Amino acid sequence: MKASDNHRGPKGMPGAMGVEYGQLEKTISFAMGHFMAKREDILLGGRPEPPEVTGYKVYIYYNGGGAEFWVRQENEKWQNWSYMEQ
């Protein structure tokens, strides 16, 4: 194990290093309720845009402590829900 691996969030998520576990759980619970997603349909990440992977409905990106939500649309493209709602 590398020394840097000790400072990562769940499942190697480097973007959530400063996020408390309780806050992370609240964010996941919000996504589950608001987007009607199961926990296994949610992907956590530290990059501004979701990776090109399939099988997920919601991508949560932590940007300086705040969460951005990306939602997979019917046409299989990701859309940044956080900016759609403003």
Side-chain angles (χ1 to χ4, degrees), residues 7-10 13-28 44-46 60-68:
H7 301 289
R8 293 182 178 211
M13 187 174 83
M17 288 190 305
V19 181
E20 294 179 7
Y21 183 76
Q23 183 61 40
L24 185 59
E25 280 298 318
K26 287 179 187 177
T27 303
I28 292 170
L44 305 173
I60 301 173
Y61 161 60
Y62 273 92
N63 182 8
E68 288 185 16

Side-chain angles (χ1 to χ4, degrees), residues 53-78:
V53 295
T54 59
Y56 296 97
K57 186 175 183 178
V58 179
Y59 173 72
I60 301 173
Y61 161 60
Y62 273 92
N63 182 8
E68 288 185 16
F69 297 90
W70 290 75
V71 181
R72 190 176 294 276
Q73 300 298 311
E74 291 178 16
N75 60 3
E76 295 297 316
K77 292 190 177 186
W78 289 104

Side-chain angles (χ1 to χ4, degrees), residues 33-63:
H34 192 79
F35 302 113
M36 301 300 181
K38 296 180 220 167
R39 188 175 288 268
E40 56 269 14
D41 295 334
I42 299 172
L43 177 63
L44 305 173
R47 294 198 169 107
E49 293 187 13
E52 294 298 322
V53 295
T54 59
Y56 296 97
K57 186 175 183 178
V58 179
Y59 173 72
I60 301 173
Y61 161 60
Y62 273 92
N63 182 8

